[in-house]
Amino acid sequence: MNSTTPTPNMQHIRYRRFTALWKGTLCLLFIILCILLLWFIYDGLSGKLETLYYSIAAVLGIWFIGPLCLMFGARFIKQPPVLLSWNDEAILCGKRNIRWEQIRKIELSSYHFSKWILSSSPMIVLFLNDGTRHHIATDHLLSKKERDKAINLLQQTLRNKHPRENGYTSSL
């Protein structure tokens, strides 16, 4: 099945573009503030102690907020604003199709820090029958209520595809 072929029973988890816009704008304003701090240092408008504080604040600010700014910008321009789609046969996440028969369980992962000390967004985790996992990032674009609704809908769909007597489970 081709991921670009629409089917009449296609369902989607969508995000609001406005959420990506305002979060991206806040991140961009913070990045501009960090660049302004670096400009103060370059232009000689700060003392020795301020130079140390400003440079540390600017570098850390760009380190933590820069990737978020790029992520929200990419999500804002993405057409259509869909995190993932599914139909009766498979979940379509990006360019990958995962058939319902391959999925053992669906859960929402909790917040954690990446290896570069960056906060990662909550993810929808698909536990596959072969023991592997497929993570679908929500990129901080869904509210808690929207995330819970999406997880419940996916888990219900999985339960409908694989009744418990076949040994398939999904946790709620």
Side-chain angles (χ1 to χ4, degrees):
M1 168 187 224
N2 188 353
S3 64
T4 59
T5 305
T7 59
N9 57 353
M10 186 71 71
Q11 296 185 46
H12 308 282
I13 295 178
R14 297 181 179 271
Y15 60 89
R16 292 183 299 257
R17 295 173 81 78
F18 182 73
T19 302
L21 176 65
W22 75 262
K23 287 184 176 186
T25 302
L26 284 177
C27 290
L28 184 61
L29 290 174
F30 194 82
I31 296 294
I32 290 170
L33 178 68
C34 292
I35 292 171
L36 188 62
L37 288 175
L38 291 174
W39 180 257
F40 285 159
I41 294 168
Y42 176 76
D43 208 26
L45 299 174
S46 60
K48 286 188 177 191
L49 191 57
E50 290 171 327
T51 299
L52 177 67
Y53 291 143
Y54 288 177
S55 61
I56 291 172
V59 168
L60 289 177
I62 293 171
W63 178 271
F64 286 113
I65 304 301
L68 291 174
C69 186
L70 294 174
M71 177 189 65
F72 290 129
R75 287 294 190 172
F76 176 70
I77 62 173
K78 182 180 179 200
Q79 288 288 342
V82 173
L83 287 176
L84 70 107
S85 303
W86 70 93
N87 59 20
D88 289 337
E89 298 159 7
I91 291 181
L92 315 168
C93 24
K95 295 180 181 180
R96 183 170 178 194
N97 295 352
I98 302 174
R99 300 190 58 78
W100 287 107
E101 297 84 31
Q102 297 174 306
I103 302 171
R104 180 175 43 93
K105 180 169 64 168
I106 299 173
E107 291 183 352
L108 181 68
S109 72
S110 61
Y111 294 95
H112 64 279
F113 287 99
S114 70
K115 64 181 176 182
W116 298 106
I117 314 175
L118 300 174
S119 173
S120 63
S121 66
M123 294 188 220
I124 298 170
V125 183
L126 306 176
F127 293 86
L128 304 180
N129 290 332
D130 63 3
T132 61
R133 298 177 189 176
H134 183 73
H135 295 84
I136 304 165
T138 62
D139 293 338
H140 302 288
L141 292 170
L142 300 176
S143 68
K144 182 177 179 351
K145 185 177 181 180
E146 291 170 329
R147 273 194 324 263
D148 291 344
K149 183 179 175 184
I151 287 293
N152 287 336
L153 185 58
L154 286 170
Q155 289 174 340
Q156 183 62 42
T157 305
L158 180 63
R159 277 194 299 276
N160 292 342
K161 300 290 176 198
H162 304 296
R164 292 201 186 272
E165 63 266 11
N166 290 342
Y168 292 95
T169 61
S170 63
S171 61
L172 287 175

